[in-house]
Amino acid sequence: MRPAYASLDAAALRHNLAEARALTGARIMAIVKANGYGHGLVWVAKTLAEADAFGVASLEEGLELRAAGIRQEICLLEGFFDAAEMPVILRERLTPVVHDHYQVEVLKGMRGEQRCDVWIKVDTGMHRLGFEPAEVPAVVADLAALPCIARLGLLSHLACAEEADTTPSRHQIERFAKLAFPGLRRSLANSAGIMRWPATHADWVRPGLMLYGASPLAPDTSMPTRLKPVMTLRSRLISVRHRREGDAIGYGGVYRCPRDMPVGVVGVGYGDGYPREFRTAVSVLVRGQRAPVIGRVSMDMLTVDLRAVAEARVGDEVILWGQGLPVEEVAHAAGTIPYTLLCGLTQRLPRRECLSTTPA
Ligand SMILES: *Cc1c(COP(=O)(O)O)cnc(C)c1O
């Protein structure tokens, strides 16, 4: 078997949910869209049996969770895209977000006994999905009158909760607070809101990234976190060779050895979802020590400078992110965010649950 896989730490995932709970008294909708941020949709939901609800991006994801026996509320964060989805949503007891008038019209046309809960999405400043605050009272009245609606809730999304500038979040909190409807449950916070903005917690919070053990906050704005990485991307050294001063390494020959040195080949590449471009130097861990990535990353392999790990041998385990090497750090070096690295792991990379080895 090719020596490349993502090991998954179930205890860390449950620990991070407990960390979220420790920060808030709100109920928790665990966000598991994009295949559980790359960790495996059903594995994450089953591991997080303590979550109060799950949030997904599509009916397909909701159905996969129901088919796997998940009984909690399942929220479709973008609602339905087409009227044909509604009968299935009702049958499977899914909870759509309603963010636009065309969805209200579909709900008005529903006949029959079955009812569903709905979250009304209001745009408090993200300017992506949601009704204008001024439209909300009429939408609430319209939906409350429909026979297919059980409970209503009011939901909004933070655009800048992780940014240094706090003004946009304060405005969003104010606009959300002005929309008070008795009996409607409320939800505003994502991970950054949970960690940094207690005023956003409301009745339900919606953590995604933090559950997977990564922080959305920049290192400088970051509060100390006790989150544990759930995924560790692992491979092995599949070759170790001594190269001569001046040798060009890999495609394009863009790296030239500054002196005679050991160079290792790691069995993972961009075909697995590891980034190909870096803005600043990045390392992997070999025997717990840092080995800088050198030369271009290939589809199935990458090369590392082993001068700092003189004892490195073929077969040694290599960690590309996760335990001991935060995915945030690799993302930063690649000029991206941890979300894209986790979601971007490709299908060919096996995910394997492992025993927890992070210290308690
Ligand atoms: C993805 C998403 C979240 C989770 O965001 P994180 O930053 O990963 O915590 C919460 N709410 C909505 C509506 C989302 O789409």
Coordinates of all heavy atoms in Angstrom, one line a residue, residues 115-182:
R115 N -44.6 18.3 8.5 CA -44.1 19.7 8.8 C -42.6 19.6 9.1 O -42.1 18.6 9.4 CB -44.8 20.2 10.1 CG -46.3 20.1 10.0 CD -47.0 21.0 11.0 NE -46.6 20.8 12.4 CZ -46.7 21.8 13.3 NH1 -47.3 22.9 13.0 NH2 -46.3 21.6 14.5
C116 N -42.0 20.7 8.9 CA -40.5 20.8 9.2 C -40.2 22.1 9.9 O -40.9 23.1 9.8 CB -39.7 20.7 7.9 SG -39.8 22.1 6.8
D117 N -39.1 22.1 10.7 CA -38.6 23.3 11.3 C -37.8 24.1 10.2 O -37.3 23.5 9.2 CB -37.6 23.0 12.4 CG -38.3 22.3 13.6 OD1 -39.5 22.5 13.7 OD2 -37.6 21.7 14.4
V118 N -37.7 25.3 10.3 CA -37.0 26.2 9.4 C -36.2 27.2 10.1 O -36.6 27.8 11.1 CB -38.1 26.9 8.4 CG1 -37.5 28.1 7.8 CG2 -38.6 25.9 7.4
W119 N -35.0 27.5 9.6 CA -34.2 28.6 10.0 C -34.4 29.7 9.0 O -34.0 29.5 7.8 CB -32.7 28.3 10.2 CG -32.3 27.4 11.3 CD1 -32.1 26.1 11.3 CD2 -32.1 27.9 12.7 NE1 -31.7 25.6 12.6 CE2 -31.7 26.7 13.4 CE3 -32.1 29.1 13.3 CZ2 -31.3 26.8 14.8 CZ3 -31.8 29.2 14.7 CH2 -31.4 28.0 15.4
I120 N -34.8 30.9 9.4 CA -34.8 32.0 8.4 C -33.5 32.7 8.5 O -33.0 33.1 9.6 CB -35.9 33.0 8.8 CG1 -37.3 32.4 8.7 CG2 -35.9 34.3 8.0 CD1 -38.4 33.2 9.4
K121 N -32.8 32.9 7.3 CA -31.5 33.5 7.4 C -31.6 35.0 7.1 O -32.2 35.4 6.0 CB -30.6 32.9 6.3 CG -29.2 33.4 6.4 CD -28.2 32.4 5.8 CE -26.7 32.8 6.2 NZ -25.8 31.9 5.6
V122 N -31.0 35.8 7.9 CA -31.0 37.3 7.7 C -29.6 37.7 7.4 O -28.6 37.2 8.0 CB -31.6 38.0 9.0 CG1 -31.0 37.5 10.2 CG2 -31.5 39.5 8.8
D123 N -29.5 38.6 6.5 CA -28.2 39.2 6.2 C -27.9 40.4 7.0 O -28.5 41.5 6.9 CB -28.3 39.6 4.7 CG -27.0 40.3 4.2 OD1 -26.0 40.2 5.0 OD2 -26.9 40.8 3.1
T124 N -27.0 40.2 8.0 CA -26.7 41.3 8.9 C -25.4 42.0 8.5 O -24.9 42.8 9.2 CB -26.5 40.8 10.4 OG1 -25.6 39.7 10.4 CG2 -27.9 40.3 10.9
G125 N -24.9 41.6 7.3 CA -23.6 42.3 6.9 C -22.7 41.5 6.1 O -21.7 42.0 5.5
M126 N -22.9 40.2 6.0 CA -22.1 39.4 5.1 C -22.3 39.6 3.6 O -21.5 39.5 2.8 CB -22.4 37.9 5.5 CG -21.7 36.9 4.6 SD -20.2 36.4 5.4 CE -19.7 35.0 4.4
H127 N -23.6 40.0 3.3 CA -24.0 40.2 1.9 C -23.7 39.1 1.0 O -23.1 39.2 -0.1 CB -23.3 41.5 1.4 CG -23.8 42.7 2.2 ND1 -22.9 43.8 2.6 CD2 -24.9 43.0 2.8 CE1 -23.6 44.7 3.3 NE2 -24.8 44.2 3.5
R128 N -24.1 37.9 1.5 CA -24.0 36.7 0.6 C -25.4 36.1 0.6 O -26.1 36.4 -0.4 CB -23.0 35.7 1.2 CG -22.6 34.6 0.3 CD -21.6 33.7 0.9 NE -22.0 33.1 2.1 CZ -21.3 32.3 2.9 NH1 -20.0 31.9 2.5 NH2 -21.7 31.8 4.0
L129 N -25.9 35.4 1.6 CA -27.2 34.9 1.6 C -28.0 35.6 2.7 O -27.5 36.0 3.7 CB -27.2 33.4 1.9 CG -26.7 32.4 0.9 CD1 -26.9 31.0 1.4 CD2 -27.3 32.6 -0.5
G130 N -29.3 35.6 2.5 CA -30.2 36.1 3.6 C -31.1 37.3 3.2 O -30.8 38.0 2.3
F131 N -32.2 37.4 4.0 CA -33.1 38.5 3.8 C -32.5 39.8 4.4 O -31.8 39.7 5.4 CB -34.4 38.2 4.4 CG -35.1 37.0 3.8 CD1 -35.1 35.8 4.4 CD2 -35.9 37.2 2.6 CE1 -35.7 34.7 3.8 CE2 -36.5 36.1 2.1 CZ -36.4 34.8 2.7
E132 N -32.8 40.9 3.8 CA -32.5 42.2 4.5 C -33.3 42.2 5.8 O -34.4 41.7 5.9 CB -33.1 43.3 3.6 CG -32.4 43.5 2.3 CD -31.1 44.2 2.4 OE1 -31.0 45.1 3.2 OE2 -30.2 43.8 1.7
P133 N -32.7 42.8 6.8 CA -33.4 42.9 8.1 C -34.8 43.5 8.0 O -35.7 42.9 8.6 CB -32.5 43.9 8.9 CG -31.1 43.6 8.4 CD -31.3 43.4 6.9
A134 N -35.0 44.4 7.1 CA -36.3 45.0 6.9 C -37.4 44.1 6.4 O -38.6 44.2 6.6 CB -36.3 46.3 6.1
E135 N -36.9 43.0 5.7 CA -37.8 42.1 5.1 C -38.2 41.0 6.1 O -39.2 40.2 5.8 CB -37.1 41.3 3.9 CG -36.7 42.2 2.7 CD -35.9 41.4 1.7 OE1 -34.9 40.7 2.0 OE2 -36.4 41.4 0.5
V136 N -37.5 40.9 7.1 CA -37.6 39.7 8.0 C -39.0 39.6 8.7 O -39.6 38.5 8.7 CB -36.5 39.6 9.0 CG1 -36.8 38.5 10.1 CG2 -35.2 39.3 8.3
P137 N -39.6 40.7 9.2 CA -40.9 40.6 9.9 C -41.9 40.0 8.9 O -42.7 39.1 9.4 CB -41.2 42.0 10.2 CG -39.9 42.7 10.4 CD -39.0 42.1 9.4
A138 N -42.0 40.4 7.7 CA -43.0 39.9 6.8 C -42.7 38.4 6.5 O -43.6 37.6 6.4 CB -42.9 40.7 5.4
V139 N -41.4 38.0 6.4 CA -41.1 36.6 6.1 C -41.5 35.7 7.3 O -42.1 34.6 7.1 CB -39.6 36.4 5.8 CG1 -39.2 35.0 5.7 CG2 -39.2 37.2 4.5
V140 N -41.2 36.2 8.5 CA -41.6 35.5 9.7 C -43.1 35.3 9.7 O -43.6 34.2 10.0 CB -41.1 36.2 11.0 CG1 -41.8 35.6 12.2 CG2 -39.6 36.2 11.1
A141 N -43.9 36.4 9.4 CA -45.3 36.3 9.5 C -45.8 35.3 8.4 O -46.7 34.5 8.7 CB -45.9 37.7 9.2
D142 N -45.3 35.4 7.2 CA -45.7 34.5 6.1 C -45.4 33.0 6.5 O -46.3 32.2 6.3 CB -44.8 34.8 4.9 CG -45.4 35.9 4.0 OD1 -46.5 36.4 4.4 OD2 -44.8 36.2 2.9
L143 N -44.2 32.7 7.0 CA -43.9 31.4 7.3 C -44.7 30.8 8.5 O -45.1 29.7 8.5 CB -42.4 31.2 7.5 CG -41.5 31.4 6.2 CD1 -40.0 31.2 6.6 CD2 -41.9 30.5 5.1
A144 N -44.9 31.7 9.5 CA -45.6 31.2 10.7 C -47.0 30.8 10.3 O -47.6 30.0 11.0 CB -45.6 32.4 11.7
A145 N -47.5 31.3 9.3 CA -48.9 31.0 8.9 C -49.0 29.7 8.1 O -50.1 29.3 7.8 CB -49.5 32.2 8.1
L146 N -47.9 29.1 7.7 CA -48.0 28.0 6.8 C -48.1 26.7 7.5 O -47.5 26.4 8.6 CB -46.7 27.9 5.9 CG -46.5 29.1 5.0 CD1 -45.2 28.8 4.2 CD2 -47.7 29.2 4.0
P147 N -49.0 25.8 7.0 CA -49.2 24.5 7.7 C -48.0 23.6 7.7 O -47.9 22.7 8.6 CB -50.4 23.9 7.0 CG -50.4 24.6 5.7 CD -49.9 26.0 5.9
C148 N -47.1 23.8 6.8 CA -45.9 22.8 6.7 C -44.8 23.3 7.6 O -43.7 22.6 7.7 CB -45.4 22.7 5.3 SG -44.6 24.2 4.7
I149 N -44.9 24.4 8.4 CA -43.9 24.9 9.2 C -44.1 24.5 10.7 O -45.2 24.8 11.2 CB -43.7 26.4 9.1 CG1 -43.4 26.8 7.6 CG2 -42.6 26.9 10.0 CD1 -42.1 26.4 7.1
A150 N -43.2 23.9 11.3 CA -43.3 23.6 12.8 C -42.6 24.8 13.5 O -43.2 25.9 13.6 CB -42.6 22.3 13.1
R151 N -41.3 24.6 13.9 CA -40.6 25.7 14.6 C -39.9 26.6 13.6 O -39.3 26.2 12.7 CB -39.6 25.1 15.5 CG -40.1 24.8 16.9 CD -38.9 24.3 17.8 NE -38.0 23.3 17.0 CZ -36.9 22.9 17.5 NH1 -36.4 23.3 18.6 NH2 -36.2 22.0 16.8
L152 N -39.9 27.9 14.0 CA -39.1 28.9 13.2 C -37.9 29.3 14.0 O -37.9 29.4 15.3 CB -39.9 30.1 12.9 CG -40.9 30.0 11.8 CD1 -41.6 31.4 11.6 CD2 -40.2 29.7 10.4
G153 N -36.8 29.6 13.3 CA -35.6 30.2 14.0 C -35.0 31.3 13.1 O -35.4 31.4 12.0
L154 N -34.2 32.1 13.7 CA -33.6 33.2 13.0 C -32.0 33.0 13.1 O -31.5 32.8 14.2 CB -33.9 34.5 13.7 CG -33.7 35.8 12.9 CD1 -34.5 35.8 11.6 CD2 -33.9 37.0 13.7
L155 N -31.4 33.0 11.9 CA -30.0 32.7 11.8 C -29.3 33.7 11.0 O -29.9 34.2 10.0 CB -29.9 31.3 11.2 CG -28.6 30.6 10.8 CD1 -28.8 29.1 10.9 CD2 -28.2 31.0 9.4
S156 N -28.1 34.0 11.3 CA -27.2 34.9 10.5 C -25.8 34.4 10.6 O -25.5 33.6 11.4 CB -27.4 36.4 11.0 OG -26.8 37.3 10.0
H157 N -24.9 35.0 9.7 CA -23.6 34.5 9.6 C -22.6 35.6 9.7 O -22.8 36.7 9.1 CB -23.4 33.7 8.3 CG -22.2 32.9 8.3 ND1 -21.8 32.1 9.3 CD2 -21.3 32.7 7.3 CE1 -20.7 31.4 8.9 NE2 -20.3 31.8 7.7
L158 N -21.5 35.4 10.5 CA -20.5 36.5 10.7 C -19.5 36.5 9.6 O -19.0 35.5 9.2 CB -19.8 36.3 12.0 CG -20.7 36.3 13.3 CD1 -19.9 35.8 14.5 CD2 -21.1 37.8 13.6
A159 N -19.2 37.7 9.1 CA -18.3 37.8 7.9 C -16.9 38.0 8.4 O -15.9 37.6 7.7 CB -18.7 39.0 7.1
C160 N -16.7 38.6 9.6 CA -15.3 39.1 9.9 C -14.9 38.8 11.4 O -14.1 39.4 12.0 CB -15.2 40.6 9.7 SG -15.6 41.2 8.1
A161 N -15.5 37.7 11.9 CA -15.3 37.4 13.3 C -13.9 37.1 13.7 O -13.4 37.2 14.8 CB -16.2 36.3 13.8
E162 N -13.1 36.7 12.6 CA -11.7 36.3 12.9 C -10.7 37.5 12.6 O -9.5 37.3 12.7 CB -11.3 35.1 12.1 CG -11.4 35.1 10.6 CD -12.8 35.0 10.1 OE1 -13.7 34.5 10.8 OE2 -13.1 35.5 9.0
E163 N -11.3 38.6 12.1 CA -10.4 39.7 11.6 C -10.0 40.6 12.8 O -10.7 40.7 13.8 CB -11.1 40.5 10.5 CG -11.7 39.7 9.3 CD -10.5 39.2 8.5 OE1 -9.5 39.8 8.4 OE2 -10.7 38.1 7.9
A164 N -8.9 41.3 12.5 CA -8.5 42.2 13.6 C -9.5 43.4 13.8 O -9.7 43.8 14.9 CB -7.1 42.8 13.2
D165 N -10.1 43.9 12.7 CA -11.0 45.0 12.8 C -12.3 44.4 13.4 O -13.0 43.6 12.8 CB -11.3 45.5 11.4 CG -12.3 46.7 11.4 OD1 -12.7 47.1 12.5 OD2 -12.6 47.2 10.3
T166 N -12.7 45.0 14.5 CA -13.9 44.4 15.2 C -15.2 45.2 14.8 O -16.3 44.7 15.2 CB -13.7 44.6 16.8 OG1 -13.5 46.0 17.1 CG2 -12.5 43.8 17.3
T167 N -15.1 46.2 14.0 CA -16.3 47.0 13.7 C -17.3 46.2 13.0 O -18.5 46.3 13.4 CB -15.9 48.3 12.9 OG1 -14.8 48.9 13.5 CG2 -17.0 49.2 12.8
P168 N -17.0 45.5 11.9 CA -18.1 44.7 11.2 C -18.8 43.8 12.1 O -20.1 43.7 12.0 CB -17.3 44.0 10.1 CG -16.0 44.7 10.0 CD -15.7 45.3 11.3
S169 N -18.1 43.1 13.0 CA -18.8 42.1 13.9 C -19.7 42.9 14.9 O -20.9 42.4 15.1 CB -17.8 41.3 14.7 OG -17.1 40.5 13.8
R170 N -19.3 44.0 15.4 CA -20.1 44.8 16.3 C -21.4 45.2 15.6 O -22.5 45.1 16.1 CB -19.3 45.9 16.9 CG -18.4 45.4 18.1 CD -17.8 46.5 18.9 NE -16.6 47.0 18.2 CZ -16.6 48.2 17.7 NH1 -17.6 49.1 17.8 NH2 -15.5 48.6 17.1
H171 N -21.3 45.6 14.3 CA -22.5 46.0 13.6 C -23.4 44.8 13.4 O -24.6 45.0 13.5 CB -22.1 46.6 12.2 CG -21.6 48.0 12.4 ND1 -20.8 48.6 11.4 CD2 -21.7 49.0 13.4 CE1 -20.5 49.9 11.8 NE2 -21.0 50.1 13.0
Q172 N -22.8 43.7 13.0 CA -23.7 42.5 12.8 C -24.4 42.1 14.1 O -25.6 41.8 14.0 CB -22.8 41.4 12.3 CG -22.4 41.6 10.8 CD -21.9 40.2 10.2 OE1 -20.7 39.9 10.2 NE2 -22.8 39.5 9.7
I173 N -23.7 42.2 15.2 CA -24.3 41.8 16.5 C -25.5 42.8 16.8 O -26.6 42.4 17.1 CB -23.3 41.9 17.6 CG1 -22.3 40.7 17.5 CG2 -24.0 41.8 19.0 CD1 -21.1 40.9 18.3
E174 N -25.3 44.1 16.5 CA -26.4 45.1 16.7 C -27.6 44.8 15.8 O -28.7 44.8 16.3 CB -25.8 46.5 16.4 CG -25.3 47.3 17.5 CD -24.5 48.5 17.0 OE1 -25.1 49.2 16.1 OE2 -23.4 48.8 17.6
R175 N -27.3 44.6 14.6 CA -28.4 44.4 13.6 C -29.2 43.1 14.0 O -30.4 43.1 13.9 CB -27.9 44.2 12.2 CG -27.6 45.6 11.6 CD -27.2 45.5 10.1 NE -26.3 46.5 9.8 CZ -25.0 46.4 9.4 NH1 -24.5 45.2 9.2 NH2 -24.2 47.4 9.2
F176 N -28.5 42.1 14.4 CA -29.1 40.8 14.8 C -30.0 41.0 16.1 O -31.1 40.6 16.1 CB -28.1 39.7 15.0 CG -28.7 38.3 15.0 CD1 -29.3 37.8 13.9 CD2 -28.5 37.5 16.2 CE1 -29.8 36.5 13.9 CE2 -29.0 36.2 16.2 CZ -29.7 35.7 15.1
A177 N -29.5 41.8 17.0 CA -30.2 42.0 18.3 C -31.5 42.8 18.1 O -32.5 42.6 18.8 CB -29.3 42.8 19.3
K178 N -31.5 43.6 17.1 CA -32.7 44.4 16.8 C -33.9 43.6 16.3 O -35.0 44.0 16.3 CB -32.4 45.5 15.8 CG -31.7 46.7 16.4 CD -31.7 47.9 15.5 CE -30.8 49.0 16.0 NZ -29.9 49.5 15.0
L179 N -33.5 42.4 15.8 CA -34.6 41.5 15.2 C -35.0 40.5 16.3 O -34.5 39.4 16.4 CB -34.0 40.8 14.0 CG -33.7 41.6 12.8 CD1 -32.9 40.9 11.8 CD2 -35.0 42.1 12.1
A180 N -35.9 41.0 17.1 CA -36.4 40.1 18.2 C -37.8 39.6 17.9 O -38.7 40.4 17.7 CB -36.3 40.8 19.5
F181 N -38.0 38.3 17.8 CA -39.3 37.7 17.6 C -39.5 36.7 18.7 O -38.8 35.7 18.8 CB -39.4 37.0 16.3 CG -39.2 38.0 15.1 CD1 -37.9 38.2 14.6 CD2 -40.2 38.7 14.6 CE1 -37.7 39.0 13.5 CE2 -40.0 39.6 13.6 CZ -38.8 39.8 13.0
P182 N -40.5 36.9 19.5 CA -40.8 36.0 20.7 C -40.9 34.5 20.1 O -41.6 34.3 19.1 CB -42.1 36.4 21.3 CG -42.3 37.8 20.7 CD -41.5 37.9 19.5

